[in-house]
Amino acid sequence: MKGQKSVYVCSECDWQSPKWLGRCPQCGNWNTFTEETFAWKKGNSAASSDAASRVRSEKAVLFREMESSDCRRFGTGIGEFDRVLGGGLVAGSVILLAGHPGIGKSTLLMQLCGAVGDSLDIMYVSGEESKGQLALRAERLGVSPEGLYVLTDTSVENIISEYEKCSPDVIIIDSIQTLTSERASSSAGSVTQVRECSAEIMEKAKTDGVSVILVGHVNKEGGIAGPKVLEHMVDAVLYFEGERTQSHRIIRAVKNRYGSTNEIGVFEMTDTGLREVSNPSEMLLAGRPDGVSGSCAVCALEGTRPIVAEIQALVVPSAYPSPRRTADGLDYNRMCLLLAVIEKRLGIRLSSCDVYLNVVGGLQIDEPAVDAAVALAIISSVKDIPVPKNLIVMGEIGLSGEFRAVSSADRRAKEAYRLGFTKIALPARGDDVGRIKINGAEIIPLNSIYNELLLLDTQSKNKEN
Ligand SMILES: Nc1ncnc2c1ncn2[C@@H]1O[C@H](COP(=O)(O)OP(=O)(O)OP(=O)(O)O)[C@@H](O)[C@H]1O
Ligand SMILES: [Mg+2]
Ligand SMILES: [Zn+2]
């Protein structure tokens, strides 16, 4: 068609090319190009004057005359959500909430409307569900907020005009991939549409100091569908995760301009919506098997909160020349390193074994303090000797098998004791390990990976007795 131009856009870095490319010359990713069509509108001057009207006349101000109170924050009434946001929603901020289909994004946001909808005006824009569906969900969740406007539309121009009529404090877009703007002519969900629609909404929100929550779909690799720039444009990127077969859900921030990215929020999905879980350790440890090899507990620090989790390892002889290794919730390379340390320092042959690692409950643990528990779970599985149920181990393992100190050892130890662990093994090297005193708990200092073997051996002697 005349006046239409086809262009291929990289979804990772926005590189544009007149023809399809397998590999992006800018970011080097494969298969990231999608075709988009631009219609050249007549009277381009209209567009440029439009663009000119978008330019705000901001004035430079003296830093010392600036007020930080410009950054108003309000609690959402959902404690676990506030925790991830860094203490509440900031006026004028833009949050991107991403998650797999059916994980509960719309549920969380409807509950948010219920929690703050009486004190704030919220506009909920749904491009995916009908008003009837939304009403049904609200009923099931038991929410009937006073100041909630609902709009089921996908045109950004219309959304903005409705927004101007309602002038809400918070605007929720469910989801950004369903919106279309007249500025771009490609289909909804394409890189250009997502970029254009989010830019238009964000600009409005920043000028008026309105908070925006954008729901984002994830692609099959688990990243956010659409242009990579979206993640740079927003103030916070939150992931809503969980295992489909299990009821708990975790929110984590991968980016947050107004708070830490270490905090996680934990929920449980029930018939009546998401329930906050303020003591996740208990939930994660529920149903922990007794007397089975390959399971070891660890206390990880997620932001300010110590969380006790279970690491499971399964080591079996491999049927293939190159053994299979998987690490769910743990770093794959870290696992390989620990396998090598165990093989070299303890002389346990693992190179011909399949190794499967898992953090129970879909938790993701990034800190090295988990090394000790991973190693012990692997050794326990190889030797088929269970780790004592009341034992918890923490510590980073170095390449020569030495233990390195963990941060906040005392807080971790206390949380472990609270959950019934009476044998707490910690790196001997930590400054405060000698000072940790817990009545009723034995603190076991660990110097090297050899000490871990001993932890198991005592158990096997007990077994023989
Ligand atoms: N009647 C019900 N009773 C109990 N749980 C329900 C019921 N209806 C839905 N759910 C739960 O809510 C989840 C769907 O939540 P929600 O629609 O908020 O997900 P979503 O992340 O918005 O999905 P999508 O990406 O499709 O929009 C379901 O997976 C299910 O666990
Ligand atoms: Mg939804
Ligand atoms: Zn690219």
mmCIF file of all heavy atoms in Angstrom, residues 9-15 23-29 32-33, ligand 3:
data_model
loop_
_atom_site.group_PDB
_atom_site.id
_atom_site.type_symbol
_atom_site.label_atom_id
_atom_site.label_comp_id
_atom_site.label_asym_id
_atom_site.label_seq_id
_atom_site.Cartn_x
_atom_site.Cartn_y
_atom_site.Cartn_z
ATOM 1 N N VAL A 9 12.086 -4.228 13.462
ATOM 2 C CA VAL A 9 12.572 -3.621 14.699
ATOM 3 C C VAL A 9 13.038 -4.715 15.662
ATOM 4 O O VAL A 9 12.356 -5.724 15.847
ATOM 5 C CB VAL A 9 11.446 -2.808 15.376
ATOM 6 C CG1 VAL A 9 11.967 -2.041 16.581
ATOM 7 C CG2 VAL A 9 10.804 -1.851 14.391
ATOM 8 N N CYS A 10 14.195 -4.492 16.272
ATOM 9 C CA CYS A 10 14.702 -5.446 17.273
ATOM 10 C C CYS A 10 13.982 -5.188 18.592
ATOM 11 O O CYS A 10 13.930 -4.058 19.068
ATOM 12 C CB CYS A 10 16.203 -5.276 17.463
ATOM 13 S SG CYS A 10 16.852 -6.203 18.862
ATOM 14 N N SER A 11 13.415 -6.248 19.172
ATOM 15 C CA SER A 11 12.645 -6.055 20.402
ATOM 16 C C SER A 11 13.554 -5.823 21.604
ATOM 17 O O SER A 11 13.109 -5.380 22.647
ATOM 18 C CB SER A 11 11.754 -7.261 20.645
ATOM 19 O OG SER A 11 12.553 -8.410 20.766
ATOM 20 N N GLU A 12 14.819 -6.134 21.472
ATOM 21 C CA GLU A 12 15.726 -5.962 22.604
ATOM 22 C C GLU A 12 16.266 -4.550 22.683
ATOM 23 O O GLU A 12 16.375 -3.968 23.744
ATOM 24 C CB GLU A 12 16.899 -6.939 22.501
ATOM 25 C CG GLU A 12 16.546 -8.364 22.847
ATOM 26 C CD GLU A 12 16.074 -8.516 24.284
ATOM 27 O OE1 GLU A 12 16.755 -8.005 25.184
ATOM 28 O OE2 GLU A 12 15.012 -9.124 24.490
ATOM 29 N N CYS A 13 16.675 -3.999 21.521
ATOM 30 C CA CYS A 13 17.375 -2.723 21.581
ATOM 31 C C CYS A 13 16.796 -1.668 20.640
ATOM 32 O O CYS A 13 17.327 -0.575 20.540
ATOM 33 C CB CYS A 13 18.855 -2.927 21.276
ATOM 34 S SG CYS A 13 19.148 -3.418 19.587
ATOM 35 N N ASP A 14 15.699 -2.025 19.948
ATOM 36 C CA ASP A 14 15.053 -1.039 19.078
ATOM 37 C C ASP A 14 15.814 -0.721 17.794
ATOM 38 O O ASP A 14 15.487 0.238 17.113
ATOM 39 C CB ASP A 14 14.813 0.283 19.830
ATOM 40 C CG ASP A 14 13.390 0.331 20.355
ATOM 41 O OD1 ASP A 14 12.680 -0.674 20.185
ATOM 42 O OD2 ASP A 14 13.015 1.363 20.909
ATOM 43 N N TRP A 15 16.826 -1.477 17.468
ATOM 44 C CA TRP A 15 17.544 -1.281 16.214
ATOM 45 C C TRP A 15 16.564 -1.494 15.065
ATOM 46 O O TRP A 15 15.754 -2.409 15.103
ATOM 47 C CB TRP A 15 18.701 -2.273 16.137
ATOM 48 C CG TRP A 15 19.449 -2.255 14.833
ATOM 49 C CD1 TRP A 15 19.127 -2.965 13.710
ATOM 50 C CD2 TRP A 15 20.623 -1.514 14.517
ATOM 51 N NE1 TRP A 15 20.046 -2.711 12.723
ATOM 52 C CE2 TRP A 15 20.970 -1.820 13.180
ATOM 53 C CE3 TRP A 15 21.412 -0.620 15.238
ATOM 54 C CZ2 TRP A 15 22.084 -1.265 12.552
ATOM 55 C CZ3 TRP A 15 22.514 -0.069 14.614
ATOM 56 C CH2 TRP A 15 22.845 -0.382 13.281
ATOM 57 N N ARG A 23 20.197 -11.903 13.067
ATOM 58 C CA ARG A 23 20.916 -11.502 14.261
ATOM 59 C C ARG A 23 21.012 -9.989 14.278
ATOM 60 O O ARG A 23 21.302 -9.369 13.255
ATOM 61 C CB ARG A 23 22.319 -12.103 14.221
ATOM 62 C CG ARG A 23 23.140 -11.824 15.448
ATOM 63 C CD ARG A 23 24.375 -12.718 15.432
ATOM 64 N NE ARG A 23 25.107 -12.612 16.667
ATOM 65 C CZ ARG A 23 26.201 -11.870 16.816
ATOM 66 N NH1 ARG A 23 26.671 -11.187 15.806
ATOM 67 N NH2 ARG A 23 26.819 -11.828 17.972
ATOM 68 N N CYS A 24 20.758 -9.405 15.445
ATOM 69 C CA CYS A 24 20.776 -7.953 15.542
ATOM 70 C C CYS A 24 22.213 -7.445 15.534
ATOM 71 O O CYS A 24 23.030 -7.874 16.346
ATOM 72 C CB CYS A 24 20.066 -7.523 16.819
ATOM 73 S SG CYS A 24 20.190 -5.772 17.121
ATOM 74 N N PRO A 25 22.553 -6.522 14.631
ATOM 75 C CA PRO A 25 23.925 -6.022 14.576
ATOM 76 C C PRO A 25 24.293 -5.164 15.786
ATOM 77 O O PRO A 25 25.465 -5.001 16.094
ATOM 78 C CB PRO A 25 23.952 -5.186 13.296
ATOM 79 C CG PRO A 25 22.549 -4.931 12.925
ATOM 80 C CD PRO A 25 21.685 -5.946 13.595
ATOM 81 N N GLN A 26 23.285 -4.630 16.478
ATOM 82 C CA GLN A 26 23.600 -3.770 17.624
ATOM 83 C C GLN A 26 23.769 -4.562 18.915
ATOM 84 O O GLN A 26 24.759 -4.439 19.605
ATOM 85 C CB GLN A 26 22.518 -2.714 17.803
ATOM 86 C CG GLN A 26 22.760 -1.857 19.039
ATOM 87 C CD GLN A 26 22.058 -0.532 18.948
ATOM 88 O OE1 GLN A 26 22.355 0.299 18.107
ATOM 89 N NE2 GLN A 26 21.092 -0.336 19.811
ATOM 90 N N CYS A 27 22.768 -5.412 19.265
ATOM 91 C CA CYS A 27 22.845 -6.095 20.554
ATOM 92 C C CYS A 27 23.275 -7.550 20.420
ATOM 93 O O CYS A 27 23.535 -8.217 21.411
ATOM 94 C CB CYS A 27 21.526 -5.979 21.307
ATOM 95 S SG CYS A 27 20.176 -6.856 20.518
ATOM 96 N N GLY A 28 23.308 -8.054 19.188
ATOM 97 C CA GLY A 28 23.815 -9.409 18.991
ATOM 98 C C GLY A 28 22.821 -10.518 19.289
ATOM 99 O O GLY A 28 23.176 -11.687 19.253
ATOM 100 N N ASN A 29 21.567 -10.163 19.595
ATOM 101 C CA ASN A 29 20.584 -11.208 19.880
ATOM 102 C C ASN A 29 20.030 -11.810 18.596
ATOM 103 O O ASN A 29 19.939 -11.138 17.573
ATOM 104 C CB ASN A 29 19.429 -10.641 20.713
ATOM 105 C CG ASN A 29 19.805 -10.519 22.158
ATOM 106 O OD1 ASN A 29 20.220 -11.478 22.789
ATOM 107 N ND2 ASN A 29 19.699 -9.305 22.691
ATOM 108 N N THR A 32 15.239 -11.564 17.027
ATOM 109 C CA THR A 32 14.526 -10.547 17.792
ATOM 110 C C THR A 32 13.795 -9.568 16.880
ATOM 111 O O THR A 32 13.118 -8.681 17.361
ATOM 112 C CB THR A 32 15.506 -9.744 18.675
ATOM 113 O OG1 THR A 32 16.572 -9.301 17.856
ATOM 114 C CG2 THR A 32 16.040 -10.585 19.812
ATOM 115 N N PHE A 33 13.930 -9.741 15.551
ATOM 116 C CA PHE A 33 13.322 -8.771 14.644
ATOM 117 C C PHE A 33 11.864 -9.095 14.344
ATOM 118 O O PHE A 33 11.529 -10.236 14.056
ATOM 119 C CB PHE A 33 14.110 -8.676 13.335
ATOM 120 C CG PHE A 33 15.324 -7.810 13.487
ATOM 121 C CD1 PHE A 33 16.513 -8.351 13.909
ATOM 122 C CD2 PHE A 33 15.243 -6.451 13.259
ATOM 123 C CE1 PHE A 33 17.624 -7.544 14.089
ATOM 124 C CE2 PHE A 33 16.347 -5.651 13.441
ATOM 125 C CZ PHE A 33 17.541 -6.196 13.856
HETATM 126 ZN ZN ZN B 3 19.072 -5.541 19.061
#
